[in-house]
Short mmCIF file of all heavy atoms in Angstrom, two decimals:
data_model
loop_
_atom_site.label_atom_id
_atom_site.label_comp_id
_atom_site.label_asym_id
_atom_site.label_seq_id
_atom_site.Cartn_x
_atom_site.Cartn_y
_atom_site.Cartn_z
N MET A 1197 -120.06 44.94 14.89
CA MET A 1197 -119.21 45.31 15.84
C MET A 1197 -119.98 46.06 16.90
O MET A 1197 -120.94 46.71 16.64
CB MET A 1197 -118.10 46.18 15.25
CG MET A 1197 -117.19 45.39 14.33
SD MET A 1197 -116.32 44.08 15.09
CE MET A 1197 -114.63 44.69 14.94
N LYS A 1198 -119.38 46.06 18.18
CA LYS A 1198 -119.86 46.80 19.28
C LYS A 1198 -118.76 47.54 19.87
O LYS A 1198 -117.62 47.27 19.81
CB LYS A 1198 -120.56 45.95 20.25
CG LYS A 1198 -121.81 45.19 19.83
CD LYS A 1198 -122.38 44.29 20.85
CE LYS A 1198 -123.59 43.64 20.33
NZ LYS A 1198 -124.21 42.76 21.36
N ILE A 1199 -119.17 48.68 20.63
CA ILE A 1199 -118.16 49.43 21.39
C ILE A 1199 -118.50 49.11 22.89
O ILE A 1199 -119.62 49.19 23.25
CB ILE A 1199 -118.11 50.91 21.09
CG1 ILE A 1199 -117.06 51.56 21.75
CG2 ILE A 1199 -119.49 51.55 21.30
CD1 ILE A 1199 -116.68 53.01 21.26
N PHE A 1200 -117.49 48.74 23.60
CA PHE A 1200 -117.56 48.47 25.01
C PHE A 1200 -116.75 49.46 25.80
O PHE A 1200 -115.55 49.63 25.50
CB PHE A 1200 -117.03 47.10 25.32
CG PHE A 1200 -117.77 45.96 24.61
CD1 PHE A 1200 -117.43 45.57 23.32
CD2 PHE A 1200 -118.82 45.29 25.20
CE1 PHE A 1200 -118.10 44.56 22.65
CE2 PHE A 1200 -119.46 44.33 24.58
CZ PHE A 1200 -119.21 44.00 23.22
N ILE A 1201 -117.33 50.15 26.79
CA ILE A 1201 -116.70 51.13 27.54
C ILE A 1201 -116.66 50.82 28.99
O ILE A 1201 -117.82 50.68 29.62
CB ILE A 1201 -117.31 52.54 27.32
CG1 ILE A 1201 -117.33 52.89 25.82
CG2 ILE A 1201 -116.62 53.59 28.19
CD1 ILE A 1201 -118.06 54.15 25.54
N TRP A 1202 -115.47 50.67 29.61
CA TRP A 1202 -115.42 50.49 31.04
C TRP A 1202 -114.85 51.79 31.45
O TRP A 1202 -113.69 52.20 31.20
CB TRP A 1202 -114.31 49.37 31.31
CG TRP A 1202 -114.78 48.00 31.16
CD1 TRP A 1202 -115.37 47.15 32.14
CD2 TRP A 1202 -114.74 47.17 29.96
NE1 TRP A 1202 -115.69 45.92 31.58
CE2 TRP A 1202 -115.27 45.94 30.24
CE3 TRP A 1202 -114.33 47.36 28.64
CZ2 TRP A 1202 -115.47 44.91 29.30
CZ3 TRP A 1202 -114.44 46.40 27.72
CH2 TRP A 1202 -115.03 45.17 28.05
N SER A 1203 -115.57 52.59 32.25
CA SER A 1203 -115.14 53.92 32.56
C SER A 1203 -114.00 53.90 33.65
O SER A 1203 -113.26 54.77 33.75
CB SER A 1203 -116.32 54.77 33.14
OG SER A 1203 -116.93 54.14 34.18
N ARG A 1204 -113.99 52.77 34.40
CA ARG A 1204 -112.91 52.62 35.41
C ARG A 1204 -112.74 51.18 35.69
O ARG A 1204 -113.73 50.51 36.10
CB ARG A 1204 -113.28 53.41 36.64
CG ARG A 1204 -112.17 53.53 37.63
CD ARG A 1204 -112.51 54.57 38.67
NE ARG A 1204 -111.39 54.81 39.62
CZ ARG A 1204 -110.32 55.65 39.37
NH1 ARG A 1204 -110.33 56.22 38.18
NH2 ARG A 1204 -109.41 55.77 40.19
N ILE A 1205 -111.57 50.66 35.53
CA ILE A 1205 -111.23 49.33 36.10
C ILE A 1205 -110.06 49.43 37.04
O ILE A 1205 -109.30 50.44 37.08
CB ILE A 1205 -110.92 48.32 34.92
CG1 ILE A 1205 -109.70 48.77 34.17
CG2 ILE A 1205 -112.16 48.20 33.98
CD1 ILE A 1205 -109.18 47.68 33.14
N SER A 1206 -109.78 48.39 37.81
CA SER A 1206 -108.74 48.40 38.76
C SER A 1206 -107.37 48.34 38.15
O SER A 1206 -106.43 48.93 38.66
CB SER A 1206 -108.86 47.21 39.78
OG SER A 1206 -110.06 47.48 40.56
N THR A 1207 -107.18 47.61 37.08
CA THR A 1207 -105.83 47.50 36.46
C THR A 1207 -105.86 47.62 35.01
O THR A 1207 -106.03 46.69 34.20
CB THR A 1207 -105.37 46.02 36.79
OG1 THR A 1207 -105.37 45.70 38.24
CG2 THR A 1207 -103.86 45.90 36.39
N ALA A 1208 -105.71 48.94 34.65
CA ALA A 1208 -105.67 49.26 33.22
C ALA A 1208 -104.23 49.21 32.68
O ALA A 1208 -103.96 48.94 31.49
CB ALA A 1208 -106.26 50.63 33.01
N THR A 1209 -103.28 49.47 33.62
CA THR A 1209 -101.86 49.46 33.19
C THR A 1209 -101.01 48.97 34.38
O THR A 1209 -101.51 48.74 35.46
CB THR A 1209 -101.34 50.92 32.85
OG1 THR A 1209 -101.25 51.64 34.08
CG2 THR A 1209 -102.26 51.58 31.86
N TYR A 1210 -99.70 48.83 34.10
CA TYR A 1210 -98.80 48.43 35.12
C TYR A 1210 -98.20 49.72 35.73
O TYR A 1210 -97.28 49.59 36.60
CB TYR A 1210 -97.57 47.57 34.59
CG TYR A 1210 -97.96 46.14 34.18
CD1 TYR A 1210 -97.52 45.62 33.06
CD2 TYR A 1210 -98.78 45.38 35.01
CE1 TYR A 1210 -97.83 44.32 32.71
CE2 TYR A 1210 -99.07 44.11 34.67
CZ TYR A 1210 -98.64 43.60 33.59
OH TYR A 1210 -98.93 42.27 33.27
N ASN A 1211 -98.69 50.86 35.45
CA ASN A 1211 -98.20 52.08 36.00
C ASN A 1211 -98.44 52.15 37.52
O ASN A 1211 -99.22 51.39 38.04
CB ASN A 1211 -98.85 53.31 35.34
CG ASN A 1211 -98.54 53.47 33.95
OD1 ASN A 1211 -97.60 52.91 33.41
ND2 ASN A 1211 -99.31 54.26 33.20
N TYR A 1212 -97.80 53.02 38.16
CA TYR A 1212 -97.98 53.25 39.61
C TYR A 1212 -99.37 53.43 39.97
O TYR A 1212 -99.99 52.82 40.89
CB TYR A 1212 -97.18 54.44 40.10
CG TYR A 1212 -97.35 54.72 41.67
CD1 TYR A 1212 -96.70 53.85 42.52
CD2 TYR A 1212 -98.09 55.80 42.03
CE1 TYR A 1212 -96.85 54.13 43.87
CE2 TYR A 1212 -98.28 55.96 43.37
CZ TYR A 1212 -97.64 55.15 44.34
OH TYR A 1212 -97.80 55.40 45.65
N HIS A 1213 -100.08 54.28 39.17
CA HIS A 1213 -101.61 54.38 39.33
C HIS A 1213 -102.17 53.49 38.20
O HIS A 1213 -102.28 53.86 37.07
CB HIS A 1213 -101.97 55.81 39.06
CG HIS A 1213 -101.42 56.82 40.07
ND1 HIS A 1213 -101.85 56.99 41.27
CD2 HIS A 1213 -100.38 57.63 39.89
CE1 HIS A 1213 -101.19 57.84 41.97
NE2 HIS A 1213 -100.23 58.31 41.14
N SER A 1214 -102.61 52.32 38.62
CA SER A 1214 -102.96 51.27 37.69
C SER A 1214 -104.40 51.38 37.15
O SER A 1214 -104.79 50.71 36.21
CB SER A 1214 -102.69 49.91 38.29
OG SER A 1214 -103.52 49.75 39.45
N GLU A 1215 -105.21 52.13 37.86
CA GLU A 1215 -106.65 52.25 37.46
C GLU A 1215 -106.74 52.99 36.20
O GLU A 1215 -105.87 53.83 35.88
CB GLU A 1215 -107.44 52.84 38.62
CG GLU A 1215 -107.48 51.99 39.83
CD GLU A 1215 -108.21 52.57 41.03
OE1 GLU A 1215 -108.28 53.86 41.13
OE2 GLU A 1215 -108.76 51.88 41.82
N GLY A 1216 -107.85 52.99 35.54
CA GLY A 1216 -108.14 53.76 34.33
C GLY A 1216 -109.38 53.26 33.64
O GLY A 1216 -110.08 52.37 34.10
N GLY A 1217 -109.58 53.86 32.47
CA GLY A 1217 -110.72 53.46 31.63
C GLY A 1217 -110.25 52.63 30.39
O GLY A 1217 -109.08 52.81 29.95
N VAL A 1218 -111.12 51.89 29.82
CA VAL A 1218 -110.80 51.07 28.66
C VAL A 1218 -112.02 51.13 27.66
O VAL A 1218 -113.13 51.03 28.10
CB VAL A 1218 -110.53 49.54 29.08
CG1 VAL A 1218 -110.27 48.76 27.87
CG2 VAL A 1218 -109.46 49.51 30.00
N VAL A 1219 -111.69 51.33 26.48
CA VAL A 1219 -112.65 51.33 25.35
C VAL A 1219 -112.22 50.29 24.32
O VAL A 1219 -111.04 50.27 23.92
CB VAL A 1219 -112.79 52.64 24.65
CG1 VAL A 1219 -113.74 52.62 23.49
CG2 VAL A 1219 -113.28 53.74 25.67
N VAL A 1220 -113.14 49.36 24.10
CA VAL A 1220 -112.81 48.30 23.05
C VAL A 1220 -113.85 48.15 22.06
O VAL A 1220 -115.06 48.24 22.37
CB VAL A 1220 -112.66 46.97 23.79
CG1 VAL A 1220 -112.27 45.83 22.78
CG2 VAL A 1220 -111.69 46.99 24.92
N ILE A 1221 -113.41 48.08 20.79
CA ILE A 1221 -114.41 47.80 19.70
C ILE A 1221 -114.14 46.34 19.22
O ILE A 1221 -112.96 46.01 18.89
CB ILE A 1221 -114.12 48.76 18.50
CG1 ILE A 1221 -114.34 50.21 18.99
CG2 ILE A 1221 -115.05 48.43 17.30
CD1 ILE A 1221 -113.82 51.21 17.94
N ALA A 1222 -115.18 45.55 19.38
CA ALA A 1222 -115.04 44.12 19.07
C ALA A 1222 -116.46 43.59 18.75
O ALA A 1222 -117.48 44.25 18.90
CB ALA A 1222 -114.41 43.35 20.34
N GLU A 1223 -116.44 42.32 18.37
CA GLU A 1223 -117.69 41.72 17.90
C GLU A 1223 -118.60 41.39 19.03
O GLU A 1223 -119.81 41.40 19.01
CB GLU A 1223 -117.50 40.46 17.10
CG GLU A 1223 -116.85 40.76 15.75
CD GLU A 1223 -116.73 39.43 14.87
OE1 GLU A 1223 -117.43 38.47 15.11
OE2 GLU A 1223 -115.89 39.56 13.98
N ASP A 1224 -118.03 40.95 20.27
CA ASP A 1224 -118.74 40.60 21.47
C ASP A 1224 -117.89 40.83 22.66
O ASP A 1224 -116.72 41.14 22.57
CB ASP A 1224 -119.21 39.18 21.36
CG ASP A 1224 -118.13 38.17 21.10
OD1 ASP A 1224 -116.98 38.35 21.71
OD2 ASP A 1224 -118.29 37.13 20.29
N GLU A 1225 -118.52 40.75 23.82
CA GLU A 1225 -117.82 41.04 25.14
C GLU A 1225 -116.66 40.11 25.41
O GLU A 1225 -115.63 40.54 25.86
CB GLU A 1225 -118.81 41.13 26.32
CG GLU A 1225 -118.13 41.62 27.53
CD GLU A 1225 -119.05 41.76 28.73
OE1 GLU A 1225 -120.30 41.98 28.51
OE2 GLU A 1225 -118.62 41.73 29.84
N PRO A 1226 -116.86 38.82 25.25
CA PRO A 1226 -115.70 37.87 25.44
C PRO A 1226 -114.47 38.32 24.60
O PRO A 1226 -113.29 38.27 25.10
CB PRO A 1226 -116.22 36.57 25.17
CG PRO A 1226 -117.66 36.58 25.30
CD PRO A 1226 -118.00 38.00 24.91
N THR A 1227 -114.70 38.68 23.33
CA THR A 1227 -113.64 39.02 22.48
C THR A 1227 -113.01 40.35 23.02
O THR A 1227 -111.82 40.56 22.97
CB THR A 1227 -113.99 39.17 21.03
OG1 THR A 1227 -114.56 37.93 20.70
CG2 THR A 1227 -112.92 39.59 20.14
N ALA A 1228 -113.89 41.27 23.37
CA ALA A 1228 -113.41 42.59 23.85
C ALA A 1228 -112.57 42.45 25.09
O ALA A 1228 -111.43 43.00 25.17
CB ALA A 1228 -114.65 43.47 24.27
N ARG A 1229 -112.91 41.58 26.04
CA ARG A 1229 -112.08 41.28 27.24
C ARG A 1229 -110.80 40.62 26.82
O ARG A 1229 -109.71 41.02 27.39
CB ARG A 1229 -112.88 40.37 28.14
CG ARG A 1229 -114.00 41.03 28.90
CD ARG A 1229 -114.76 40.10 29.68
NE ARG A 1229 -115.85 40.73 30.44
CZ ARG A 1229 -115.60 41.22 31.68
NH1 ARG A 1229 -114.47 41.23 32.21
NH2 ARG A 1229 -116.73 41.89 32.27
N ARG A 1230 -110.78 39.68 25.93
CA ARG A 1230 -109.57 38.98 25.52
C ARG A 1230 -108.61 39.88 24.91
O ARG A 1230 -107.44 39.93 25.31
CB ARG A 1230 -109.89 37.83 24.59
CG ARG A 1230 -108.67 37.02 24.14
CD ARG A 1230 -109.03 35.89 23.18
NE ARG A 1230 -109.82 36.34 22.05
CZ ARG A 1230 -109.26 37.01 21.02
NH1 ARG A 1230 -107.95 37.34 20.94
NH2 ARG A 1230 -110.01 37.37 19.92
N ILE A 1231 -109.05 40.72 23.92
CA ILE A 1231 -108.03 41.57 23.24
C ILE A 1231 -107.59 42.68 24.13
O ILE A 1231 -106.47 43.19 24.01
CB ILE A 1231 -108.52 42.10 21.86
CG1 ILE A 1231 -109.79 42.98 22.01
CG2 ILE A 1231 -108.81 41.00 20.92
CD1 ILE A 1231 -110.22 43.61 20.57
N ALA A 1232 -108.38 43.14 25.05
CA ALA A 1232 -107.89 44.18 25.93
C ALA A 1232 -106.90 43.58 26.92
O ALA A 1232 -105.87 44.26 27.21
CB ALA A 1232 -109.13 44.81 26.77
N ASN A 1233 -107.21 42.44 27.43
CA ASN A 1233 -106.30 41.78 28.40
C ASN A 1233 -105.02 41.36 27.77
O ASN A 1233 -104.07 40.96 28.48
CB ASN A 1233 -106.93 40.63 29.17
CG ASN A 1233 -108.02 41.17 30.17
OD1 ASN A 1233 -108.03 42.32 30.56
ND2 ASN A 1233 -108.98 40.29 30.49
N GLU A 1234 -104.85 41.33 26.38
CA GLU A 1234 -103.59 41.07 25.72
C GLU A 1234 -102.71 42.29 25.75
O GLU A 1234 -101.49 42.11 25.45
CB GLU A 1234 -103.93 40.55 24.34
CG GLU A 1234 -104.55 39.20 24.23
CD GLU A 1234 -104.88 38.80 22.87
OE1 GLU A 1234 -104.90 39.63 21.91
OE2 GLU A 1234 -105.45 37.60 22.72
N ILE A 1235 -103.27 43.44 26.05
CA ILE A 1235 -102.44 44.66 26.10
C ILE A 1235 -101.65 44.61 27.44
O ILE A 1235 -102.18 44.41 28.48
CB ILE A 1235 -103.33 45.93 26.03
CG1 ILE A 1235 -104.19 46.02 24.83
CG2 ILE A 1235 -102.52 47.14 26.21
CD1 ILE A 1235 -103.48 46.12 23.59
N CYS A 1236 -100.43 44.85 27.31
CA CYS A 1236 -99.54 44.83 28.60
C CYS A 1236 -100.06 45.65 29.70
O CYS A 1236 -100.16 46.83 29.57
CB CYS A 1236 -98.13 45.27 28.16
SG CYS A 1236 -96.95 45.04 29.46
N GLY A 1237 -100.45 45.00 30.75
CA GLY A 1237 -100.90 45.67 31.95
C GLY A 1237 -102.38 45.72 32.12
O GLY A 1237 -102.85 45.89 33.24
N CYS A 1238 -103.12 45.52 31.06
CA CYS A 1238 -104.69 45.67 31.18
C CYS A 1238 -105.11 44.27 31.70
O CYS A 1238 -104.79 43.26 31.17
CB CYS A 1238 -105.21 45.91 29.87
SG CYS A 1238 -107.06 46.18 29.99
N GLN A 1239 -105.88 44.35 32.77
CA GLN A 1239 -106.53 43.15 33.33
C GLN A 1239 -107.92 43.45 33.76
O GLN A 1239 -108.20 43.73 34.90
CB GLN A 1239 -105.73 42.68 34.58
CG GLN A 1239 -104.34 42.35 34.25
CD GLN A 1239 -103.49 42.05 35.48
OE1 GLN A 1239 -104.06 41.93 36.58
NE2 GLN A 1239 -102.17 41.83 35.31
N ILE A 1240 -108.90 43.37 32.78
CA ILE A 1240 -110.31 43.45 33.21
C ILE A 1240 -110.77 42.32 33.91
O ILE A 1240 -110.85 41.20 33.39
CB ILE A 1240 -111.13 43.72 31.93
CG1 ILE A 1240 -110.64 44.96 31.08
CG2 ILE A 1240 -112.61 43.87 32.22
CD1 ILE A 1240 -111.27 45.16 29.73
N ALA A 1241 -111.17 42.44 35.16
CA ALA A 1241 -111.53 41.35 36.01
C ALA A 1241 -112.96 40.89 35.61
O ALA A 1241 -113.84 41.59 34.98
CB ALA A 1241 -111.60 41.79 37.49
N VAL A 1242 -113.28 39.63 35.96
CA VAL A 1242 -114.52 39.08 35.62
C VAL A 1242 -115.73 39.91 36.16
O VAL A 1242 -116.77 40.03 35.48
CB VAL A 1242 -114.61 37.59 36.14
CG1 VAL A 1242 -116.02 37.04 35.97
CG2 VAL A 1242 -113.60 36.69 35.51
N HIS A 1243 -115.54 40.45 37.32
CA HIS A 1243 -116.64 41.23 37.98
C HIS A 1243 -116.76 42.63 37.48
O HIS A 1243 -117.70 43.39 37.82
CB HIS A 1243 -116.51 41.22 39.56
CG HIS A 1243 -115.31 42.02 39.94
ND1 HIS A 1243 -114.06 41.56 39.93
CD2 HIS A 1243 -115.24 43.34 40.33
CE1 HIS A 1243 -113.19 42.46 40.40
NE2 HIS A 1243 -113.89 43.58 40.59
N GLU A 1244 -115.83 43.02 36.58
CA GLU A 1244 -115.86 44.40 36.04
C GLU A 1244 -116.60 44.41 34.73
O GLU A 1244 -116.05 43.90 33.77
CB GLU A 1244 -114.44 44.94 35.85
CG GLU A 1244 -113.64 45.14 37.15
CD GLU A 1244 -112.25 45.54 37.05
OE1 GLU A 1244 -111.56 45.01 36.24
OE2 GLU A 1244 -111.87 46.51 37.80
N ASN A 1245 -117.83 44.86 34.82
CA ASN A 1245 -118.74 44.89 33.64
C ASN A 1245 -118.62 46.20 32.88
O ASN A 1245 -118.41 47.24 33.54
CB ASN A 1245 -120.19 44.61 34.08
CG ASN A 1245 -120.29 43.21 34.65
OD1 ASN A 1245 -119.78 42.26 34.07
ND2 ASN A 1245 -120.91 43.16 35.73
N PRO A 1246 -118.85 46.19 31.57
CA PRO A 1246 -118.74 47.46 30.88
C PRO A 1246 -119.89 48.38 31.30
O PRO A 1246 -121.00 47.94 31.62
CB PRO A 1246 -118.94 47.04 29.41
CG PRO A 1246 -119.30 45.60 29.36
CD PRO A 1246 -119.12 45.05 30.74
N ASP A 1247 -119.58 49.70 31.34
CA ASP A 1247 -120.55 50.69 31.72
C ASP A 1247 -121.53 51.04 30.57
O ASP A 1247 -122.65 51.37 30.74
CB ASP A 1247 -119.93 52.02 32.21
CG ASP A 1247 -119.12 51.68 33.43
OD1 ASP A 1247 -119.71 51.40 34.49
OD2 ASP A 1247 -117.89 51.77 33.31
N VAL A 1248 -120.94 50.89 29.37
CA VAL A 1248 -121.71 51.23 28.09
C VAL A 1248 -121.40 50.21 27.07
O VAL A 1248 -120.22 49.89 26.80
CB VAL A 1248 -121.34 52.68 27.57
CG1 VAL A 1248 -122.14 52.93 26.28
CG2 VAL A 1248 -121.71 53.69 28.64
N VAL A 1249 -122.41 49.73 26.39
CA VAL A 1249 -122.25 48.82 25.23
C VAL A 1249 -123.17 49.40 24.13
O VAL A 1249 -124.39 49.59 24.32
CB VAL A 1249 -122.59 47.39 25.47
CG1 VAL A 1249 -122.42 46.50 24.27
CG2 VAL A 1249 -121.70 46.79 26.67
N ARG A 1250 -122.65 49.69 22.99
CA ARG A 1250 -123.39 50.22 21.85
C ARG A 1250 -122.97 49.52 20.59
O ARG A 1250 -121.87 49.13 20.39
CB ARG A 1250 -123.27 51.67 21.69
CG ARG A 1250 -123.63 52.55 22.84
CD ARG A 1250 -125.16 52.71 22.89
NE ARG A 1250 -125.54 53.61 24.00
CZ ARG A 1250 -125.88 53.19 25.27
NH1 ARG A 1250 -125.77 51.97 25.62
NH2 ARG A 1250 -126.26 54.17 26.07
N GLU A 1251 -123.93 49.45 19.71
CA GLU A 1251 -123.74 48.87 18.29
C GLU A 1251 -122.88 49.95 17.57
O GLU A 1251 -123.15 51.17 17.68
CB GLU A 1251 -124.96 48.60 17.56
CG GLU A 1251 -125.77 47.44 18.14
CD GLU A 1251 -125.15 46.06 17.79
OE1 GLU A 1251 -124.33 46.10 16.83
OE2 GLU A 1251 -125.41 45.17 18.52
N CYS A 1252 -121.98 49.57 16.70
CA CYS A 1252 -121.30 50.47 15.82
C CYS A 1252 -121.05 49.69 14.58
O CYS A 1252 -120.85 48.50 14.54
CB CYS A 1252 -120.07 51.21 16.41
SG CYS A 1252 -118.85 49.98 16.94
N SER A 1253 -121.03 50.40 13.44
CA SER A 1253 -120.83 49.73 12.21
C SER A 1253 -119.63 50.26 11.43
O SER A 1253 -119.19 51.35 11.72
CB SER A 1253 -122.01 49.86 11.27
OG SER A 1253 -122.27 51.15 10.99
N ASP A 1254 -118.98 49.49 10.54
CA ASP A 1254 -117.86 49.78 9.71
C ASP A 1254 -116.65 50.23 10.49
O ASP A 1254 -115.92 51.13 10.15
CB ASP A 1254 -118.32 50.96 8.74
CG ASP A 1254 -119.42 50.57 7.84
OD1 ASP A 1254 -119.45 49.32 7.49
OD2 ASP A 1254 -120.20 51.31 7.44
N TRP A 1255 -116.46 49.66 11.71
CA TRP A 1255 -115.21 49.97 12.48
C TRP A 1255 -114.43 48.69 12.62
O TRP A 1255 -114.97 47.55 12.67
CB TRP A 1255 -115.56 50.40 13.87
CG TRP A 1255 -116.20 51.74 13.94
CD1 TRP A 1255 -116.94 52.36 12.94
CD2 TRP A 1255 -116.21 52.61 15.03
NE1 TRP A 1255 -117.34 53.57 13.46
CE2 TRP A 1255 -116.95 53.74 14.68
CE3 TRP A 1255 -115.64 52.52 16.32
CZ2 TRP A 1255 -117.17 54.84 15.59
CZ3 TRP A 1255 -115.91 53.61 17.20
CH2 TRP A 1255 -116.71 54.74 16.81
N ASP A 1256 -113.16 48.83 12.64
CA ASP A 1256 -112.29 47.61 12.90
C ASP A 1256 -112.05 47.47 14.39
O ASP A 1256 -112.19 48.41 15.16
CB ASP A 1256 -110.86 47.84 12.23
CG ASP A 1256 -111.02 47.89 10.71
OD1 ASP A 1256 -111.89 47.12 10.14
OD2 ASP A 1256 -110.21 48.57 10.04
N ALA A 1257 -111.66 46.30 14.78
CA ALA A 1257 -111.37 46.03 16.13
C ALA A 1257 -110.33 46.99 16.67
O ALA A 1257 -109.26 47.25 15.89
CB ALA A 1257 -110.99 44.56 16.41
N ALA A 1258 -110.36 47.42 17.81
CA ALA A 1258 -109.43 48.34 18.46
C ALA A 1258 -109.49 48.38 19.97
O ALA A 1258 -110.58 48.07 20.54
CB ALA A 1258 -109.62 49.72 17.94
N VAL A 1259 -108.42 48.73 20.68
CA VAL A 1259 -108.37 48.92 22.10
C VAL A 1259 -107.81 50.24 22.43
O VAL A 1259 -106.79 50.59 21.84
CB VAL A 1259 -107.59 47.79 22.81
CG1 VAL A 1259 -107.54 47.99 24.26
CG2 VAL A 1259 -108.13 46.40 22.43
N PHE A 1260 -108.40 51.01 23.36
CA PHE A 1260 -107.97 52.29 23.85
C PHE A 1260 -107.83 52.17 25.31
O PHE A 1260 -108.86 51.97 26.01
CB PHE A 1260 -108.81 53.41 23.38
CG PHE A 1260 -109.01 53.38 21.93
CD1 PHE A 1260 -110.21 52.77 21.36
CD2 PHE A 1260 -108.22 54.08 21.06
CE1 PHE A 1260 -110.36 52.74 19.95
CE2 PHE A 1260 -108.41 54.17 19.65
CZ PHE A 1260 -109.50 53.51 19.20
N ILE A 1261 -106.77 52.44 25.91
CA ILE A 1261 -106.43 52.37 27.35
C ILE A 1261 -106.32 53.85 27.81
O ILE A 1261 -105.47 54.60 27.21
CB ILE A 1261 -105.20 51.61 27.77
CG1 ILE A 1261 -105.30 50.23 27.09
CG2 ILE A 1261 -104.99 51.59 29.20
CD1 ILE A 1261 -106.30 49.27 27.73
N PHE A 1262 -107.03 54.27 28.83
CA PHE A 1262 -106.95 55.62 29.39
C PHE A 1262 -106.46 55.47 30.91
O PHE A 1262 -107.32 55.51 31.77
CB PHE A 1262 -108.30 56.32 29.30
CG PHE A 1262 -108.74 56.48 27.96
CD1 PHE A 1262 -109.64 55.47 27.34
CD2 PHE A 1262 -108.36 57.50 27.12
CE1 PHE A 1262 -110.06 55.67 26.06
CE2 PHE A 1262 -108.77 57.64 25.77
CZ PHE A 1262 -109.68 56.72 25.23
N PRO A 1263 -105.13 55.44 31.10
CA PRO A 1263 -104.69 55.27 32.51
C PRO A 1263 -104.89 56.52 33.30
O PRO A 1263 -104.94 57.65 32.76
CB PRO A 1263 -103.22 54.94 32.29
CG PRO A 1263 -102.88 55.56 30.91
CD PRO A 1263 -104.10 55.49 30.12
N ASP A 1264 -105.14 56.36 34.53
CA ASP A 1264 -105.24 57.43 35.51
C ASP A 1264 -103.87 58.10 35.56
O ASP A 1264 -102.83 57.51 35.60
CB ASP A 1264 -105.57 57.00 36.86
CG ASP A 1264 -107.09 56.64 37.04
OD1 ASP A 1264 -107.83 56.83 36.00
OD2 ASP A 1264 -107.43 56.19 38.05
N ALA A 1265 -103.86 59.47 35.63
CA ALA A 1265 -102.57 60.23 35.61
C ALA A 1265 -102.00 60.20 37.04
O ALA A 1265 -100.89 60.29 37.28
CB ALA A 1265 -102.79 61.68 35.10
N GLY A 1266 -102.96 60.24 37.97
CA GLY A 1266 -102.48 60.29 39.38
C GLY A 1266 -102.02 61.67 39.78
O GLY A 1266 -102.24 62.63 39.07
N CYS A 1267 -101.20 61.69 40.80
CA CYS A 1267 -100.70 62.95 41.25
C CYS A 1267 -99.27 63.22 40.96
O CYS A 1267 -98.74 64.27 41.28
CB CYS A 1267 -100.78 62.97 42.88
SG CYS A 1267 -99.96 61.62 43.60
N CYS A 1268 -98.63 62.28 40.27
CA CYS A 1268 -97.16 62.46 40.05
C CYS A 1268 -96.86 62.82 38.58
O CYS A 1268 -97.49 62.37 37.74
CB CYS A 1268 -96.34 61.24 40.36
SG CYS A 1268 -97.12 60.08 41.55
#
């Protein structure tokens, strides 16, 4: 498994402030993108590449969305 970290993407949620960060644990980047984009509102664009990719062991697949809080 690997951990993929996008520190900021344009559409992490359907919230008013849609930008945010995404962390995904998956076997490879295509799978990471697919399972993240299955979360309601998350849309990692093709041109948005992960900022960090690291190996990790003994972890199950998971997605963590960190939406921007904005000013409201």
Side-chain angles (χ1 to χ4, degrees):
M1197 295 294 245
K1198 295 181 180 181
I1199 188 165
F1200 299 86
I1201 301 171
W1202 285 265
S1203 58
R1204 188 168 188 82
I1205 64 168
S1206 294
T1207 310
T1209 71
Y1210 288 137
N1211 293 345
Y1212 179 76
H1213 299 283
S1214 60
E1215 296 175 331
V1218 177
V1219 175
V1220 181
I1221 300 166
E1223 291 186 24
D1224 53 39
E1225 187 175 334
T1227 302
R1229 288 174 176 274
R1230 181 182 54 77
I1231 64 176
N1233 289 341
E1234 289 174 354
I1235 303 294
C1236 186
C1238 184
Q1239 298 173 9
I1240 301 173
V1242 173
H1243 69 276
E1244 294 177 315
N1245 296 312
D1247 297 292
V1248 177
V1249 178
R1250 298 283 186 269
E1251 292 286 337
C1252 58
S1253 59
D1254 298 329
W1255 291 25
D1256 293 328
V1259 177
F1260 304 93
I1261 307 290
F1262 299 95
D1264 283 357
C1267 60
C1268 337

